[in-house]
Amino acid sequence: MAVVVSSSGNAPAFKAKMTVYVFVCVVIAVFGGLIFGYDIGISGGVTAMDDFLKKFFPSVWERKQHVHENNYCKYDNQFLQLFTSSLYLAALVASFLASAVCSKLGRKPTMQFASIFFLIGVGLTAGAVNIVMLIIGRILLGFGVGFGNQAVPLFLSEIAPAQLRGGLNIVFQLMVTIGIFIANLVNYFTATVHPNGWRIALGGAAIPAVILLFGSLIICETPTSLIERNKNEEGKEALRKIRGVDDINEEYESIVSACEIASQVKDPYRKLLKPASRPPFIIGMLLQLFQQFTGINAIMFYAPVLFQTVGFGSDAALLSAVITGVINVLSTFVGIYLVDRTGRRFLLLQSSVHMLICQLIIGIILAKDLGTTGTLGKPQALVVVIFVCVYVMGFAWSWGPLGWLIPSETFPLETRTAGFAVAVSCNMFFTFVIAQAFLSMLCGMRSGIFFFFSAWIIVMGLFAMFFIPETKGVPIDEMRERVWKPHWFWKRYMLAEDDHQDVEKRT
């Protein structure tokens, strides 16, 4: 699989227009990100709805009704957590299968498979009559996420004009945040619809899935995908159509050359273990770990639950989650504006300090003022909500989008899609770990959970300071010479690879 990226920094390498057709293709494709965000946001609100708990998790509902309930443990239930986390475990497995489908069949069919998985999963979860049906539905939704998250970013990278490619990568993350926001709104309005508000909330994911399914019928396959599957003439016509110009020969030859080079690598996953591939490989995996261990998904999954824990009623908790969703969306626009101006490292380092302060303040307030029973006073609860919102700001313009952007721009061409597949699967794995463990951690660690995430933020900030090089404005094909070789630590892997190649040549 090959992804062709501009080799001239921010300047377009080839003639291209931003055509209406490309705009339509992009709008349709990013509904894959919208569904992903909706699934992230909807589970937290649904698991806080009494009608849902009474039907599937009656023991949790009973514990929630107790006058002197434990603030930190009332939602602690492994099956309740499995409802959320099973989606991400399934997405982890599906991402490797989706990578093979992307190579063999193309990006467009992979998105269609994602849509079908989404629709079947929605039908099972919204119509569930028992917990087995509910979990199977979530697993199928996870397959949809795995297929969508693999195909859509590749599709966007390959169909966009070169000068817009970076921005469009972050648009995928923007659509994820919009999906979370819409889910929070749906949760807020369906929480009072008894007894089937939760069914409406879960069934809402069918709307973007239908748009993606039928929309994918009218979009074209990417030229790169067609050419790598030896459909050169179709690829040339597709390239002419999406670029809006007749002079596409130079870009066409570049794609053909890139696909020929990539085809010589028979096992890109094995090549990922070679010394020269280790810097982007290690950074790509650790970014996924750090992205989840900022604590962001714990907040996004369980924002309504969290706000109820600190003393808000059900409606107020859901409304607070809606507010954090709005902030998440708006702050992602800030990231789109700043990423190519201030650079990647500045955003990562600034937000590490920013999020650390917020987590510590929230943890201190809960440790001091929220006991096992009872609630926070209104002033303290308001301060917690404010700092949760400020924390979300910092994540949304840094570790959120950059966790996807940096792996997409640092892998060499011959391992780019394999490396990205590993990054997606790592993201899903660590998301699963947090989703499965968070409520039990909240019960066992209480306010200490915020100090736990604070410690991780310190670690990731130090890692960004010493081990993540700046890639702003560096052409993709010059990363080795201009980023990795001069770096104080990563240069040893480049030198090891050069020495190995010298030995092979002499042999």
Side-chain angles (χ1 to χ4, degrees):
M1 210 185 289
V3 182
V4 179
V5 185
S6 171
S7 61
S8 55
N10 295 326
F14 310 107
K15 294 180 181 178
K17 298 177 182 177
M18 181 60 189
T19 64
V20 173
Y21 184 74
V22 168
F23 177 78
V24 171
C25 287
V26 170
V27 169
I28 291 170
V30 294
F31 271 91
L34 184 72
I35 301 169
F36 181 35
Y38 188 90
D39 283 324
I40 290 175
I42 207 69
S43 57
V46 166
T47 54
M49 294 182 187
D50 286 345
D51 293 322
F52 177 81
L53 292 175
K54 278 190 285 187
K55 185 168 184 65
F56 297 105
F57 306 98
S59 63
V60 177
W61 181 78
E62 288 288 344
R63 196 160 60 228
K64 183 181 174 185
Q65 305 312 304
H66 293 166
V67 176
H68 297 294
E69 64 187 358
N70 187 312
N71 277 318
Y72 296 100
C73 298
K74 59 187 175 184
Y75 293 100
D76 180 26
N77 182 283
Q78 288 298 312
F79 284 107
L80 181 60
Q81 292 172 113
L82 186 62
F83 165 73
T84 296
S85 65
S86 56
L87 183 150
Y88 303 96
L89 188 61
L92 185 160
V93 175
S95 61
F96 290 103
L97 178 60
S99 179
V101 173
C102 260
S103 292
K104 301 297 182 184
L105 301 180
R107 287 50 160 161
K108 178 176 171 178
T110 307
M111 285 190 280
Q112 291 169 342
F113 278 121
S115 304
I116 293 169
F117 282 128
F118 279 130
L119 287 172
I120 298 173
V122 167
L124 286 172
T125 54
V129 295
N130 55 55
I131 194 168
V132 173
M133 191 173 173
L134 193 69
I135 299 300
I136 291 174
R138 289 289 288 181
I139 289 172
L140 288 172
L141 287 173
F143 269 77
V145 167
F147 273 67
N149 282 16
Q150 180 69 24
V152 172
L154 290 179
F155 180 86
L156 295 176
S157 292
E158 294 173 352
I159 203 171
Q163 67 270 29
L164 300 176
R165 186 171 286 119
L168 285 174
N169 271 325
I170 297 186
V171 168
F172 179 74
Q173 174 69 16
L174 174 66
M175 292 300 288
V176 173
T177 65
I178 291 174
I180 294 171
F181 169 62
I182 292 173
N184 288 333
L185 275 179
V186 171
N187 282 332
Y188 179 69
F189 287 109
T190 58
T192 56
V193 179
H194 303 292
N196 292 316
W198 63 272
R199 294 189 189 276
I200 298 171
L202 294 175
I207 297 173
V210 168
I211 294 173
L212 181 62
L213 176 61
F214 287 100
S216 64
L217 298 176
I218 64 173
I219 63 178
C220 68
E221 183 56 89
T222 70
T224 302
S225 176
L226 290 166
I227 293 169
E228 72 177 347
R229 290 180 289 124
N230 299 315
K231 299 181 179 181
N232 289 34
E233 287 304 313
E234 291 180 43
K236 195 170 188 177
E237 287 304 310
L239 185 62
R240 184 176 285 112
K241 185 174 184 179
I242 65 174
R243 293 295 176 249
V245 296
D246 292 326
D247 184 12
I248 48 90
N249 288 332
E250 186 179 356
E251 184 172 4
Y252 172 75
E253 293 300 329
S254 175
I255 295 174
V256 171
S257 175
C259 289
E260 288 175 352
I261 294 171
S263 67
Q264 296 171 10
V265 178
K266 301 304 180 184
D267 190 350
Y269 289 99
R270 177 176 293 180
K271 190 170 179 62
L272 281 174
L273 302 178
K274 299 288 186 181
S277 299
R278 286 176 196 166
F281 182 63
I282 293 170
I283 288 175
M285 288 195 299
L286 287 179
L287 277 173
Q288 310 314 312
L289 167 68
F290 293 150
Q291 186 191 72
Q292 301 312 310
F293 278 76
T294 58
I296 185 62
N297 275 347
I299 286 177
M300 287 302 175
F301 287 149
Y302 302 112
V305 174
L306 182 64
F307 290 139
Q308 283 189 41
T309 297
V310 299
F312 286 82
S314 296
D315 290 346
L318 288 169
L319 181 59
S320 299
V322 170
I323 293 170
T324 60
V326 173
I327 291 169
N328 197 19
V329 172
L330 296 179
S331 299
T332 303
F333 281 107
V334 176
I336 292 173
Y337 178 78
L338 290 178
V339 67
D340 289 316
R341 290 172 170 80
T342 63
R344 283 69 160 149
R345 290 184 78 250
F346 173 82
L347 289 178
L348 292 174
L349 292 171
Q350 178 277 329
S351 65
S352 294
V353 176
H354 178 140
M355 292 189 295
L356 176 63
I357 293 171
C358 293
Q359 290 273 26
L360 289 174
I361 290 175
I362 294 170
I364 290 169
I365 291 174
L366 296 186
K368 179 175 177 291
D369 296 320
L370 184 65
T372 302
T373 59
T375 61
L376 283 178
K378 286 187 178 180
Q380 295 95 325
L382 183 60
V383 170
V384 168
V385 171
I386 290 172
F387 275 98
V388 165
C389 293
V390 175
Y391 164 86
V392 169
M393 284 182 192
F395 177 85
W397 65 52
S398 61
W399 289 91
L402 295 182
W404 297 104
L405 175 60
I406 292 174
S408 75
E409 65 183 3
T410 52
F411 282 102
L413 176 63
E414 61 269 22
T415 58
R416 190 164 298 141
T417 53
F420 191 72
V422 171
V424 170
S425 64
C426 285
N427 187 281
M428 294 301 105
F429 173 74
F430 293 121
T431 304
F432 163 76
V433 169
I434 289 295
Q436 184 63 27
F438 174 70
L439 292 179
S440 296
M441 291 168 65
L442 182 63
C443 179
M445 300 173 69
R446 303 188 180 187
S447 59
I449 193 169
F450 292 95
F451 300 114
F452 170 81
F453 287 128
S454 296
W456 275 101
I457 291 173
I458 293 171
V459 172
M460 66 185 68
L462 292 173
F463 182 84
M465 179 180 294
F466 293 108
F467 296 104
I468 298 182
E470 182 55 70
T471 55
K472 181 188 76 169
V474 178
I476 295 286
D477 58 358
E478 295 182 19
M479 289 287 176
R480 179 185 174 94
E481 298 298 323
R482 292 174 55 178
V483 172
W484 304 122
K485 279 191 173 181
H487 193 270
W488 72 273
F489 182 80
W490 300 120
K491 65 183 180 182
R492 68 189 68 186
Y493 294 99
M494 302 299 111
L495 295 174
E497 182 76 6
D498 290 343
D499 291 343
H500 179 69
Q501 290 177 355
D502 288 342
V503 171
E504 286 186 338
K505 288 177 182 178
R506 287 197 297 271
T507 303

